[in-house]
Amino acid sequence: MQEDLDMSYETMKKTDWRIVIDMIRKTDPALFTSITRKLLHMVCWKGVEKADELLKESSIALRSGEDDQHIDENKPLKKKKIENYDEYVDAILRLVYVHVDDEEIFSKVHKWILDDKSKGLVKALETKGSSLSDISDAIRKYFLISPEKFDLSLSTVKSLRVSLLRRFFTEDLNYIRIAKEYIRLTDFHNLIDNMIFMPASHGKLGGKSSGMFLAANILQKKAEQVEAFSDIKTPKTYFMSSDGILAFMQYNNLEETYEQKYKELDEIRIEYPQIVHMFKNSQFPPELIKGLSHALDDFGDSPIVVRSSSLLEDQAGASFSGKYKSLFIANQGTKQERLHELTDAIAEVYASTFGPDPIEYRSERGLLDFHEEMGIMIQEVVGNKIGHYYFPTFAGVAFSNNEFRWSPRIKRKDGLLRIVPGLGTRSVDRVGDDYPVLIAPGQPSLKVNQSIDEIMKYTPKKMDVINLRTKQFETVDFCRILTQFGEEIPGIQNVVSYIDGDMVRQPMGFDLDFQDKQCVANFLGLRNSTNFVNKINTILKTLEECLNTPVDVEFASDGKDFYILQCRPQSSSIENAADEIPHNINNNDVLFSANQFVSNGKVPNITHVVYVDPVKYGEIQTREELVQVGRAVSKLNKILPKRQFILMG
């Protein structure tokens, strides 16, 4: 063995890895130095004593020896200099040749060469002044010159993932810690082709985008173990960076709007309509117009939805649910008409950043001084063209935690599903004239409504659609759509049931008759004849486990495929737990009571209750009287102490 160590480097047999090393030594000294250092470490890890000696010769001693009693830990460490670099390198290579198998050496060197190819991308990510354009170019270049990109070392891959997540999405360490395990480098390569930003942009894609991006990748990875996830899809989506709103405002001299958040709430409410007007009558920078034009070419004439994706949105503890706008666009007509329609919607979403509701929400949570920016998600609407309408067969929102338990057998962890025919807006937004269907995914057999009368009353009567003829988002009568186009709607048999006397039955086979039968949208077929409820339950459990927080997920189906539209943390805290109500309370001490349909909630230190008599309110005949009641409640809202009164009605 000693003879092998002492033989000259030149007389060593030239194996494949040696040829590569020699070439690198002549052409790329920096890479050669890096590889020899890693080779020395590799031999050290194998426990070769001579390698340890070499390492000590070329390394700074961080700790003093036992015989050295005079080392002062507060003095700078003394650096070392290798006297004969060529001899030092030859010694490393001799050790490697003797103690490491050729195949292992070649594999390691090959991987380190690939890692070196990522330096351009690493530099772009770590350089503070790099724009999104610089980083996108670096990603494209890296994937162009590195066809073996999947063979990088794990440490290099994780480092790149973390840097890309931080640059595109968020600095939140919890998000990065989770996401780096599920996101692949190729996901970012695909992402940049669907990003719209100014050339010098340093923005991010916002909370809603980050939530959907991570959830989709988690489910995609879990599909390797869970067959039910194999057919989950996400709609085609384009992302506008968060600082696009800054470029838009600077381009139109709207900078004075920044101060809105520091004004009194009443003043904000008065001025907000004028801000919306200014934004919708402003122009977009040519660079953004170019990106939006490309996106429209890709979408074709499919309807699209413009969703807010602010930096604060959908973060744990501050979801901003319903505070910013999502606007549906028919996307019909000439290219110029469609582009005008799209920019008009984006401008309105931008303006919603300065609306009274989100500013009040931020103020209550101590987020007013945060430099909020508004990213944009432009998504293809899931659905089918049915007559002159466009809509999904069904859509809805699913929650990990059920805060609306209608049976003592339902546990909080059984979740909640709100589902409607058509666009999912009526399952997400508050509507006072209709009802979604409620299902507990963990207890699907426990129905909210049992009697025929209850089923007929508490099932959806209306649905939201996009009218392709008028280019408008509309609410239409569900039964009218069913009568006109029922047989054309894919999967409608899983949505609708027939009422036959005292029986509710699901249409079977070709038994689709919506002309002469009484129908209800109770989703009996979806519950009984498909794996949909079980799939939703598994999705919720999987995402909650991976994200380490309860979630709510928006979804839609075109009758054939199932799509995830959005995922965000569900509001969850110890305050949501139900309080134990004491028994044997004196009737004189009971202010009001209810037997069911009261969600958990706690509002301490109540000083006042504002009670609007529901019977008298229901008897109001004119709009003027309704407005008067509203104004009275508004005055009380201003006068009474914040968060210390309850409004009941």
Side-chain angles (χ1 to χ4, degrees):
M1 181 67 69
Q2 187 61 42
E3 291 178 357
D4 289 336
L5 289 174
D6 292 337
M7 71 180 178
S8 75
Y9 172 68
E10 286 74 17
T11 59
M12 245 185 240
K13 180 183 175 184
K14 293 226 170 191
T15 57
D16 287 346
W17 68 270
R18 284 292 314 282
I19 295 172
V20 174
I21 289 290
D22 280 348
M23 182 176 65
I24 294 172
R25 189 173 195 173
K26 295 173 183 176
T27 59
D28 194 338
L31 176 58
F32 178 75
T33 300
S34 173
I35 288 177
T36 52
R37 183 174 63 250
K38 292 175 181 177
L39 286 171
L40 177 58
H41 293 163
M42 183 171 65
V43 184
C44 287
W45 294 333
K46 291 182 178 294
V48 178
E49 186 177 343
K50 200 166 186 66
D52 287 333
E53 293 174 5
L54 276 175
L55 187 62
K56 289 177 182 178
E57 289 176 12
S58 60
S59 303
I60 294 174
L62 298 182
R63 295 180 182 273
S64 61
E66 293 180 1
D67 57 341
D68 190 346
Q69 303 297 322
H70 305 290
I71 294 292
D72 190 337
E73 296 292 343
N74 295 317
K75 289 183 180 180
L77 296 167
K78 292 183 179 181
K79 65 181 180 180
K80 290 186 177 181
K81 183 177 181 181
I82 300 171
E83 297 297 336
N84 193 322
Y85 181 74
D86 288 338
E87 287 184 7
Y88 168 73
V89 168
D90 288 352
I92 293 174
L93 295 176
R94 283 196 298 270
L95 287 170
V96 172
Y97 180 77
V98 171
H99 295 285
V100 186
D101 179 79
D102 284 350
E103 186 175 344
E104 183 181 355
I105 299 170
F106 186 81
S107 173
K108 291 287 187 182
V109 170
H110 177 68
K111 193 176 293 291
W112 294 332
I113 292 172
L114 292 179
D115 288 349
D116 186 71
K117 289 184 178 181
S118 68
K119 281 186 177 178
L121 179 54
V122 171
K123 184 177 180 180
L125 287 167
E126 298 303 327
T127 300
K128 191 172 183 180
S130 294
S131 66
L132 286 181
S133 182
D134 295 330
I135 294 171
S136 298
D137 289 343
I139 292 174
R140 291 190 179 96
K141 183 177 180 181
Y142 166 69
F143 274 78
L144 182 64
I145 66 175
S146 301
E148 312 92 339
K149 51 193 169 290
F150 304 107
D151 204 25
L152 293 173
S153 65
L154 183 59
S155 59
T156 300
V157 168
K158 285 199 173 183
S159 176
L160 286 172
R161 286 177 184 171
V162 168
S163 295
L164 287 163
L165 286 165
R166 182 180 292 115
R167 189 62 190 82
F168 283 122
F169 292 111
T170 180
E171 300 280 347
D172 182 72
L173 294 179
N174 186 56
Y175 178 91
I176 292 172
R177 176 183 58 80
I178 296 168
K180 72 181 182 185
E181 303 299 330
Y182 297 99
I183 306 299
R184 302 167 301 172
L185 296 183
T186 48
D187 296 324
F188 292 99
H189 187 231
N190 297 331
L191 176 67
I192 59 174
D193 288 333
N194 284 41
M195 286 172 54
I196 301 169
F197 50 82
M198 297 291 288
S201 171
H202 288 78
K204 291 180 169 58
L205 301 186
K208 197 168 289 182
S209 298
S210 63
M212 193 195 78
F213 184 74
L214 177 53
N217 280 281
I218 288 174
L219 296 177
Q220 186 180 57
K221 187 168 184 178
K222 292 294 183 179
E224 299 169 5
Q225 294 89 36
V226 184
E227 186 178 352
F229 293 171
S230 61
D231 58 350
I232 295 176
K233 297 183 177 181
T234 54
K236 183 185 297 181
T237 306
Y238 276 77
F239 306 88
M240 292 184 69
S241 65
S242 60
D243 57 356
I245 186 174
L246 306 182
F248 171 82
M249 293 174 67
Q250 291 167 6
Y251 191 74
N252 294 281
N253 299 314
L254 297 171
E255 289 89 347
E256 65 183 47
T257 313
Y258 293 136
E259 65 190 41
Q260 287 298 117
K261 62 183 180 181
Y262 295 115
K263 294 181 178 180
E264 293 295 326
L265 195 60
D266 287 345
E267 192 176 359
I268 294 171
R269 292 189 189 281
I270 292 171
E271 295 180 7
Y272 179 56
Q274 183 64 28
I275 290 175
V276 176
H277 173 78
M278 288 192 303
F279 274 58
K280 288 171 73 73
N281 284 279
S282 296
Q283 303 299 313
F284 278 75
E287 297 88 345
L288 294 183
I289 290 292
K290 182 179 179 181
L292 294 171
S293 177
H294 169 73
L296 285 179
D297 290 338
D298 194 17
F299 284 124
D301 61 355
S302 297
I304 53 181
V305 56
V306 176
R307 296 180 180 271
S308 64
S309 184
S310 76
L311 295 186
L312 285 172
E313 201 167 1
D314 295 354
Q315 301 293 318
S319 72
F320 284 80
S321 178
K323 303 302 179 187
Y324 297 130
K325 289 194 173 184
S326 291
L327 301 173
F328 288 86
I329 299 172
N331 194 29
Q332 305 293 299
T334 67
K335 174 70 175 292
Q336 194 60 36
E337 289 171 339
R338 293 187 293 124
L339 185 59
H340 174 75
E341 191 177 36
L342 175 58
T343 54
D344 182 71
I346 294 171
E348 188 169 337
V349 174
Y350 278 167
S352 70
T353 310
F354 304 98
D357 289 347
I359 289 177
E360 182 179 27
Y361 187 84
R362 289 171 61 186
S363 178
E364 290 172 349
R365 285 156 181 79
L367 299 171
L368 206 56
D369 296 328
F370 182 85
H371 180 64
E372 175 72 306
E373 294 178 6
M374 177 62 74
I376 298 288
M377 281 173 56
I378 308 171
Q379 278 187 340
E380 186 173 25
V381 177
V382 174
N384 300 285
K385 182 180 179 182
I386 307 294
H388 58 279
Y389 296 112
Y390 189 95
F391 55 87
T393 302
F394 63 86
V397 59
F399 302 90
S400 293
N401 288 343
N402 191 329
E403 308 295 356
F404 197 72
R405 301 185 285 281
W406 53 87
S407 166
R409 291 169 56 190
I410 296 176
K411 304 295 185 258
R412 192 172 186 227
K413 289 296 182 183
D414 286 330
L416 176 65
L417 177 63
R418 296 166 57 92
I419 187 169
V420 296
L423 297 171
T425 42
R426 300 185 74 77
S427 69
V428 178
D429 299 336
R430 296 177 181 177
V431 290
D433 58 350
D434 209 0
Y435 306 91
V437 169
L438 304 182
I439 300 172
Q443 297 276 1
S445 61
L446 297 179
K447 300 175 182 177
V448 183
N449 305 301
Q450 302 292 337
S451 70
I452 294 295
D453 289 342
E454 286 180 337
I455 291 172
M456 292 181 66
K457 180 176 181 179
Y458 297 111
T459 50
K461 307 296 187 300
K462 300 177 182 180
M463 61 186 290
D464 288 344
V465 300
I466 296 173
N467 188 325
L468 300 178
R469 188 178 294 165
T470 63
K471 303 182 184 180
Q472 297 295 318
F473 173 93
E474 294 180 358
T475 298
V476 297
D477 183 77
F478 175 67
C479 287
R480 180 173 68 81
I481 294 292
L482 203 60
T483 302
Q484 288 182 294
F485 309 109
E487 295 182 9
E488 301 177 33
I489 304 173
I492 191 64
Q493 69 276 9
N494 292 321
V495 175
V496 175
S497 293
Y498 296 144
I499 303 294
D500 286 346
D502 293 333
M503 298 289 293
V504 179
R505 68 178 182 86
Q506 178 189 350
M508 303 299 291
F510 296 99
D511 181 26
L512 294 178
D513 180 7
F514 305 117
Q515 302 293 329
D516 302 321
K517 289 187 172 65
Q518 189 173 17
C519 303
V520 290
N522 66 341
F523 297 93
L524 183 64
L526 201 66
R527 190 196 302 247
N528 295 342
S529 303
T530 73
N531 70 338
F532 171 76
V533 177
N534 181 61
K535 174 184 281 192
I536 284 287
N537 192 43
T538 309
I539 288 172
L540 291 173
K541 299 300 182 189
T542 299
L543 291 175
E544 180 176 8
E545 179 183 353
C546 293
L547 298 175
N548 197 32
T549 183
V551 297
D552 79 63
V553 176
E554 290 184 28
F555 61 85
S557 173
D558 58 9
K560 295 172 287 186
D561 296 317
F562 176 82
Y563 291 80
I564 293 289
L565 309 180
Q566 187 176 313
C567 174
R568 62 184 167 210
Q570 182 183 357
S571 237
S572 176
S573 71
I574 194 169
E575 293 180 358
N576 287 354
D579 272 358
E580 185 176 346
I581 299 176
H583 299 286
N584 304 318
I585 303 175
N586 189 305
N587 286 337
N588 294 329
D589 295 329
V590 176
L591 190 62
F592 71 94
S593 63
N595 296 319
Q596 58 182 350
F597 301 144
V598 177
S599 58
N600 293 333
K602 184 192 299 182
V603 187
N605 305 317
I606 295 301
T607 60
H608 295 78
V609 174
V610 178
Y611 179 70
V612 179
D613 188 324
V615 176
K616 295 294 184 182
Y617 189 78
E619 294 173 355
I620 291 177
Q621 299 293 320
T622 66
R623 183 180 182 280
E624 184 179 351
E625 290 178 295
L626 286 172
V627 170
Q628 287 177 350
V629 173
R631 286 174 177 163
V633 171
S634 179
K635 288 180 180 178
L636 290 169
N637 192 33
K638 296 173 185 176
I639 296 170
L640 296 174
K642 291 287 185 184
R643 296 187 173 275
Q644 288 186 254
F645 71 93
I646 297 174
L647 173 64
M648 295 179 58

